[in-house]
């Protein structure tokens, strides 16, 4: 396992290239199941989870090839070809390592009329049930059976008829699975209270590029008219709004001035609004989003919510920033039940944070001090890196595999803007 060593106190300045969005890529890749023709995805981030998904797709008999980018480039081009599917089973040993594998359920069912996927199980931030995924595709006419830790879904002979589903809770993954199940159904399907995240819009845009008929893209009321078949496409993955927001917090906590190249302000409005309230200068430019800070940070109250609300995936990073604000901030995590595991580690760096259930109270402090800290989940790890960039002295963040799941070549990108950061092998 690797660790990252940060010498804090360096002001970040310059340009950070933002990679393709992990959470868009993880729902675009399984779309290859929906057509016999090649699907080429551009701007795919080089991340462990993307490699894992590529391996899972190979498991189904899908060939994948990586083209045309130099090792020093960020991002990759991947072509997936699925003229025939040799297995409809997503096995436990692959799904347990990457819970986003559940996103093969809808497209596999749509293509093959059946799918067997290991239950993903929980993770560090919560028990992450998939009941809404199953209820949605059941509403479209699938038969669902749970046995031996697997979901077995089957469509009636002749394919899914389609149907309607009203989400009691907004769910990104369940919306994605339902969309990918409905595009090849025999009839029309409707989703109410569907998730509206930009990654869902990216999925819908790809599906339409493949020949799907979808109305209400980007809204919570989506209608899908099933078509008989979809064709291949070449599609560029959207920029990662969470990676961009994470580096915005890194620039802000160091009093820096950084251009987040490729970031789209319109996809991260809630994060940019929070940063402005904290006293950070944020400007949308032709090449991306510029973030500038003068070192003074104001305490604010924040609450996560489904898009267009503040992304839960930004909570830990904004909390790290607020540890240095003047005053007390109150954060409320409304999406996941256990997403404060970064708090004890931040407090070991001199932060002063109390948590009670879904609420965290962040009392701003004058200084943070470097420490050896442990990553626990993807976004918690990034919050420790952000704190380490502003802390006095050296910070070592261990168990970097958590970071490698969501941040492409993090230490290279931070070094581009003047951070003193080094990655070394850990015992
Ligand atoms: C996606 O997870 C993202 N992952 C998460 O990002 C992100 O935090 C989350 O959406 C919310 O924005 C990917 O896109 C791969 P949900 P997902 O279904 O789809 C409950 C990261 O750091 N729920 O929107 O699993 C659930 O427990 C990751 O990049 C059910 O009750 O999230 C949660 O409380 C972490 N039943 C809420 O809904 C279900 O069937 C939202 O979950 C599904 C979800």
């Amino acid at each position: 396992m690797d660790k990252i060593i940060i010498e804090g106190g360096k002001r970040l300045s310059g340009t950070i290239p933002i990679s393709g969005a992990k959470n868009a890529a993880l729902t675009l890749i399984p779309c290859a199941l929906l057509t016999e023709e090649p699907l080429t995805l551009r701007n795919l981030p080089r991340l462990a989870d993307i490699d894992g998904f590529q391996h899972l797709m190979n498991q189904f008999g899908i060939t994948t090839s990586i083209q045309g980018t130099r090792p020093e480039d960020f991002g990759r081009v991947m072509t997936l070809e699925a003229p025939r599917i040799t297995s409809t089973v997503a096995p436990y040993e692959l799904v347990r390592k990457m819970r986003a594998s559940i996103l093969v359920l809808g497209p596999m069912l749509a293509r093959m009329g059946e799918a067997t996927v290991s239950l993903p199980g929980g993770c560090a931030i919560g028990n992450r049930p998939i009941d809404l995924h199953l209820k949605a595709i059941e509403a479209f006419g699938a038969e669902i059976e749970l046995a031996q830790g697997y979901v077995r879904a089957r469509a009636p002979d002749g394919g899914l008829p389609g149907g309607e589903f009203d989400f009691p809770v907004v769910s990104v993954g369940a919306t994605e699975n339902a969309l990918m199940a409905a595009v090849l159904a025999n009839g029309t399907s409707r989703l109410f209270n569907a998730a509206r995240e930009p990654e869902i819009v990216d999925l819908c845009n790809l599906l339409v590029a493949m020949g799907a008929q979808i109305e209400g893209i980007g809204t919570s009321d989506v209608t899908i008219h099933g078509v008989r078949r979809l064709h291949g496409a070449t599609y560029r993955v959207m920029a990662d709004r969470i990676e961009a927001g994470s580096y915005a917090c890194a620039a802000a906590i160091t009093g820096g001035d950084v251009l987040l190249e490729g970031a789209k302000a319109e996809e991260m409005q809630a994060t940019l609004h929070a940063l402005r309230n904290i006293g950070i200068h944020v400007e949308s430019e032709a090449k991306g989003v510029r973030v500038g800070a003068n070192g003074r940070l104001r305490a604010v109250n924040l609450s996560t919510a489904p898009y267009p609300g503040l992304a839960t995936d930004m909570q830990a990073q904004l909390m790290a920033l607020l540890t240095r604000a003047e005053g007390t901030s109150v954060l409320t995590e409304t999406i996941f039940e256990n997403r404060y595991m970064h708090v004890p580690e931040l407090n070991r760096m001199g932060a002063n944070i109390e948590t009670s259930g879904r609420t965290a109270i962040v009392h701003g402090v004058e200084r943070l001090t470097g420490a050896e800290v442990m990553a626990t989940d993807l976004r918690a790890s990034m919050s420790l890196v952000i704190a380490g960039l502003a802390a006095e002295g050296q910070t070592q963040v261990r168990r970097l595999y958590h970071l490698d799941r969501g941040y492409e070549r993090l230490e290279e990108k931070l070094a581009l803007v003047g951070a003193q950061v080094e990655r070394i092998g850990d015992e």
Side-chain angles (χ1 to χ4, degrees):
M1 281 188 268
D2 289 356
K3 62 183 172 184
I4 203 167
I5 297 178
I6 303 165
E7 291 298 337
K10 305 287 182 290
R11 181 181 175 277
L12 302 189
S13 173
T15 297
I16 295 180
I18 299 303
S19 297
K22 166 180 84 83
N23 289 350
L26 291 174
T27 190
L28 299 186
I29 289 171
C31 290
L33 286 161
L34 293 168
T35 177
E36 297 173 3
E37 298 177 16
L39 171 64
T40 296
L41 297 174
R42 313 186 64 77
N43 194 37
L44 273 179
R46 289 172 202 262
L47 296 171
D49 274 8
I50 304 301
D51 296 342
F53 222 118
Q54 179 182 359
H55 182 51
L56 178 62
M57 300 302 271
N58 297 148
Q59 176 82 19
F60 303 136
I62 294 176
T63 59
T64 53
S65 60
I66 305 285
Q67 301 104 11
T69 41
R70 298 165 302 166
E72 65 274 21
D73 288 345
F74 292 105
R76 284 185 303 182
V77 177
M78 184 188 294
T79 294
L80 303 101
E81 298 191 64
R84 73 197 135 280
I85 302 297
T86 55
S87 167
T88 61
V89 179
Y92 174 69
E93 70 267 13
L94 293 182
V95 175
R96 71 181 177 81
K97 292 175 200 151
M98 188 188 60
R99 58 183 337 285
S101 312
I102 190 63
L103 294 175
V104 304
L105 180 65
M108 182 68 86
L109 180 63
R111 169 77 179 268
M112 300 299 288
E114 63 167 46
T116 302
V117 182
S118 167
L119 286 165
C123 77
I125 64 176
N127 74 354
R128 311 288 291 273
I130 59 161
D131 56 312
L132 299 177
H133 297 242
L134 306 184
K135 286 177 183 150
I137 58 177
E138 250 178 345
F140 292 174
E143 292 151 30
I144 301 286
E145 182 203 346
L146 294 179
Q148 289 95 34
Y150 280 76
V151 178
R152 289 190 174 84
R154 186 175 298 284
D157 293 341
L160 289 174
E164 298 194 350
F165 186 66
D166 186 348
F167 283 97
V169 170
V170 173
S171 163
V172 171
T175 301
E176 291 164 347
N177 249 330
L179 285 164
M180 293 187 281
V183 288
L184 291 176
N186 292 326
T188 293
S189 304
R190 285 191 76 179
L191 295 175
F192 302 98
N193 198 28
R196 302 166 50 194
E197 272 66 3
E199 293 76 19
I200 305 253
V201 173
D202 222 29
L203 169 62
C204 290
N205 290 341
L206 169 60
L207 291 171
V208 167
M210 295 169 71
Q213 293 178 17
I214 304 174
E215 295 159 16
I217 295 176
T219 75
S220 52
D221 178 349
V222 184
T223 300
I224 309 103
H225 301 289
V227 295
R228 291 195 56 73
R229 61 188 299 280
L230 294 177
H231 50 74
T234 295
Y235 189 80
R236 180 178 171 81
V237 180
M238 65 178 273
D240 194 319
R241 63 191 173 103
I242 305 300
E243 184 198 26
S246 303
Y247 286 124
C249 292
I253 203 169
T254 63
D257 177 14
V258 170
L259 173 67
L260 306 167
E261 189 177 36
K264 292 211 174 123
E266 61 271 22
E267 292 168 350
M268 45 193 301
Q269 284 301 345
T271 294
L272 301 185
H273 181 67
L275 290 171
R276 288 191 183 103
N277 287 344
I278 294 169
I280 308 303
H281 178 72
V282 176
E283 197 75 45
S284 178
E285 297 185 353
K287 283 193 166 186
V289 175
R290 180 172 297 281
V291 175
N294 60 15
R296 291 175 59 80
L297 303 171
R298 284 194 296 265
V300 296
N301 296 336
L302 299 172
S303 181
T304 62
Y307 193 86
L310 181 64
T312 172
D313 291 350
M314 279 302 307
Q315 177 256 110
Q317 302 91 304
L318 286 162
M319 182 188 287
L321 176 59
L322 290 167
T323 63
R324 293 281 292 104
E326 290 166 19
T328 296
S329 305
V330 179
L331 276 69
T332 309
E333 171 54 63
T334 68
I335 307 292
F336 290 113
E337 62 269 31
N338 186 33
R339 205 164 195 179
Y340 286 139
M341 281 175 302
H342 40 290
V343 169
E345 295 299 275
L346 288 172
N347 283 340
R348 290 185 56 244
M349 297 176 72
N352 179 0
I353 309 166
E354 306 158 73
T355 59
S356 167
R358 301 274 184 135
T359 302
I361 300 174
V362 184
H363 304 284
V365 295
E366 282 295 313
R367 56 197 280 270
L368 297 172
T369 50
E372 274 193 68
V373 290
M374 197 72 79
T376 52
D377 63 86
L378 171 57
R379 306 305 173 181
S381 322
M382 190 57 181
S383 80
L384 302 179
V385 170
I386 291 166
L389 289 166
E392 290 171 7
Q394 186 182 93
T395 296
Q396 292 194 18
V397 181
R398 313 183 73 158
R399 294 188 183 165
L400 270 199
Y401 60 87
H402 290 293
L403 270 170
D404 293 340
R405 301 192 60 165
Y407 292 94
E408 181 179 9
R409 296 159 65 175
L410 170 97
E411 66 278 5
E412 293 176 51
K413 292 194 179 186
L414 286 174
L416 283 175
V417 289
Q420 191 170 336
V421 56
E422 184 190 3
R423 183 190 193 110
I424 57 174
D426 204 352
E427 67 283 352

